[in-house]
Amino acid sequence: MNVTTEYLWFNTKQRQEFIRITDDVAKIVAKSGVREGMVLVSAMHITAAVYVNDWENGLIHDFQVWLEKLAPSGLDYRHHQTGEDNADAHLKRTLMGHQVMLPITAGQLDLGPWEQVFYAEFDGQRKKRVVVKVMGE
Amino acid sequence: MNVTTEYLWFNTKQRQEFIRITDDVAKIVAKSGVREGMVLVSAMHITAAVYVNDWENGLIHDFQVWLEKLAPSGLDYRHHQTGEDNADAHLKRTLMGHQVMLPITAGQLDLGPWEQVFYAEFDGQRKKRVVVKVMGE
Amino acid sequence: MNVTTEYLWFNTKQRQEFIRITDDVAKIVAKSGVREGMVLVSAMHITAAVYVNDWENGLIHDFQVWLEKLAPSGLDYRHHQTGEDNADAHLKRTLMGHQVMLPITAGQLDLGPWEQVFYAEFDGQRKKRVVVKVMGE
């Protein structure tokens, strides 16, 4: 059994940024040597998401507008009594999901034709990590 | 270590359709021979979901009404500038989640009394796949 | 390969209750002896969630207000024609997610600085279970 762990680091210029990481994950899988198994890709910070969807800038814009509608910034959240101002980022990341498990088949990520993995940052401009854990044989 | 991969194919008659797949997954698990482990069930297309919830038609109707309220079709989504008309399907699938991991204990899916696995199609009427990957021993 | 399964039981006093379970999961991981692998933590009842986010009571309050707004109780849900009154609990648990997979590295839960695991009950006051399944070596 082969278990390999690596971390991806992010430090976004914008507070909110969506970054495609499919190739980064694929490289870690290739390096691990795992032919059959799974890889967990999980945000280690609680105002960021990891999700699978389309690599199309219009749709990414739609996601951002939609998240702002369902989980608005600037409300009088109780979390902000601690001095924080990012309660909406916690809610947005919950809507998108914070982790995915990708199948590995014949040494490759076993993804559908349009599946792409994204890191979604909702409170960036500081260093944050994603854990990538490969398990298989 | 035993890793078994199979695919379920769908081609729904309706654009939106919810299909119970618990028994299909259970059959793949039984065939794999895995006694202790986990099975990943993951939609390979980005306008479909896989989720666990109740097998009750009223609730499925409630889910559909609710998804249409939170992620309406027919809005002027930017994604539609590409010629697509399914941005809402991408959002709906995000709300429902696109994958689940089910525990396998003593050779069986280890589910609670009401847990049922569903495939939720939001842009159907064409061939789509779900990957079912069993890992264990 | 080491596969260990345990169950956490809950019987909340309130209908809705959020309970931190990070330490319970960590104890099961320690007991399993797994040094490298993953642990699945998954609600076995369909009106409860398992999620990772902040251990801060203000934010937990914000989550509860937000869930009530996006998935209100007291509506005329079709599910209630069966005699049930908990359709909103099914929707709320869907928004929060019902399971997480946690990486285990060097014998420990490999979590970011603020990651905490929670059980979120939306229709409690009765016995319910969470399955904790460790897999690794």
Side-chain angles (χ1 to χ4, degrees):
Chain A
M1 189 176 176
N2 177 331
V3 187
T4 298
T5 311
E6 297 213 17
Y7 304 89
L8 300 172
W9 285 91
F10 301 88
N11 192 346
T12 61
K13 285 185 184 166
Q14 310 296 323
R15 183 159 190 179
Q16 183 168 311
E17 221 164 284
F18 283 35
I19 299 164
R20 195 177 69 93
I21 59 172
T22 318
D23 298 344
D24 307 270
V25 176
K27 268 179 215 150
I28 294 171
V29 169
K31 204 171 129 195
S32 76
V34 167
R35 302 284 304 165
E36 291 291 330
M38 298 180 194
V39 54
L40 172 68
V41 186
S42 187
M44 300 185 81
H45 294 258
I46 55 188
T47 50
V50 170
Y51 74 94
V52 166
N53 218 304
D54 205 357
W55 185 19
E56 198 279 296
N57 286 336
L59 187 70
I60 289 172
H61 172 85
D62 293 328
F63 267 118
Q64 292 174 333
V65 169
W66 177 69
L67 289 166
E68 189 58 32
K69 194 173 113 191
L70 292 191
S73 59
L75 297 191
D76 187 24
Y77 292 107
R78 193 167 293 182
H79 184 48
H80 297 175
Q81 294 179 7
T82 65
E84 291 286 355
D85 65 352
N86 62 1
D88 69 294
H90 292 274
L91 305 180
K92 287 177 169 97
R93 96 83 170 239
T94 301
L95 285 171
M96 296 305 288
H98 83 285
Q99 59 181 200
V100 296
M101 184 72 91
L102 307 175
I104 302 164
T105 306
Q108 309 269 339
L109 289 181
D110 192 356
L111 299 175
W114 305 105
E115 283 191 290
Q116 295 281 347
V117 191
F118 284 88
Y119 175 74
E121 176 62 80
F122 297 108
D123 187 22
Q125 300 168 321
R126 49 194 168 120
K127 280 183 80 180
K128 289 191 177 178
R129 264 196 310 170
V130 164
V131 56
V132 181
K133 190 135 199 154
V134 186
M135 197 157 84
E137 60 178 10
Chain B
M1 188 175 176
N2 177 331
V3 188
T4 299
T5 311
E6 297 212 18
Y7 304 90
L8 300 172
W9 285 92
F10 300 89
N11 191 347
T12 61
K13 285 185 186 167
Q14 310 297 323
R15 183 159 190 178
Q16 182 168 311
E17 222 165 284
F18 284 35
I19 299 165
R20 194 177 69 94
I21 59 172
T22 317
D23 299 342
D24 306 271
V25 176
K27 267 179 216 151
I28 294 171
V29 169
K31 203 170 129 194
S32 76
V34 167
R35 302 284 305 165
E36 291 292 328
M38 298 180 194
V39 54
L40 173 68
V41 187
S42 188
M44 300 185 80
H45 294 258
I46 55 187
T47 49
V50 170
Y51 74 94
V52 167
N53 217 305
D54 205 358
W55 185 19
E56 197 280 296
N57 286 337
L59 187 71
I60 290 172
H61 173 84
D62 293 328
F63 267 118
Q64 292 174 334
V65 169
W66 177 70
L67 289 166
E68 189 58 32
K69 194 173 113 191
L70 291 190
S73 58
L75 296 192
D76 187 24
Y77 292 107
R78 193 166 293 182
H79 184 47
H80 297 175
Q81 294 178 8
T82 64
E84 291 285 357
D85 65 352
N86 61 1
D88 69 295
H90 292 274
L91 305 180
K92 287 177 169 98
R93 96 83 170 239
T94 301
L95 285 171
M96 296 306 288
H98 82 287
Q99 60 181 199
V100 297
M101 184 71 91
L102 307 174
I104 302 164
T105 305
Q108 309 270 340
L109 289 180
D110 192 357
L111 299 175
W114 306 105
E115 284 192 289
Q116 295 281 347
V117 192
F118 285 88
Y119 175 74
E121 175 63 80
F122 297 108
D123 187 22
Q125 300 167 320
R126 47 196 170 118
K127 279 183 80 178
K128 289 189 175 180
R129 264 197 309 171
V130 164
V131 56
V132 181
K133 189 135 197 151
V134 186
M135 196 157 84
E137 61 178 7
Chain C
M1 189 176 177
N2 176 331
V3 187
T4 299
T5 311
E6 297 213 18
Y7 303 90
L8 299 172
W9 285 92
F10 300 89
N11 191 346
T12 61
K13 284 185 186 167
Q14 309 298 322
R15 182 159 190 177
Q16 182 168 311
E17 222 166 283
F18 283 36
I19 299 165
R20 194 177 69 94
I21 59 171
T22 318
D23 299 343
D24 305 271
V25 176
K27 265 178 219 153
I28 293 171
V29 168
K31 204 170 129 193
S32 76
V34 167
R35 302 285 303 165
E36 291 291 330
M38 299 179 192
V39 54
L40 172 68
V41 186
S42 188
M44 299 185 82
H45 293 257
I46 54 187
T47 50
V50 170
Y51 73 95
V52 167
N53 218 305
D54 206 357
W55 185 18
E56 198 279 296
N57 286 337
L59 187 71
I60 289 172
H61 173 84
D62 293 329
F63 267 118
Q64 292 174 335
V65 169
W66 178 70
L67 290 166
E68 189 58 32
K69 194 173 112 191
L70 291 191
S73 58
L75 297 191
D76 187 23
Y77 292 107
R78 193 166 295 183
H79 184 47
H80 297 175
Q81 294 179 8
T82 64
E84 291 286 355
D85 65 351
N86 62 1
D88 69 294
H90 292 274
L91 305 180
K92 287 177 169 98
R93 95 84 170 239
T94 301
L95 285 171
M96 296 305 287
H98 83 286
Q99 60 181 199
V100 296
M101 184 71 92
L102 307 174
I104 302 164
T105 306
Q108 309 270 339
L109 288 181
D110 192 356
L111 298 176
W114 306 104
E115 284 191 289
Q116 295 281 346
V117 191
F118 285 88
Y119 175 74
E121 176 63 80
F122 297 108
D123 187 21
Q125 300 167 321
R126 49 195 169 120
K127 280 184 81 179
K128 289 190 177 179
R129 265 195 310 169
V130 164
V131 56
V132 181
K133 189 135 200 154
V134 187
M135 195 157 85
E137 60 179 8

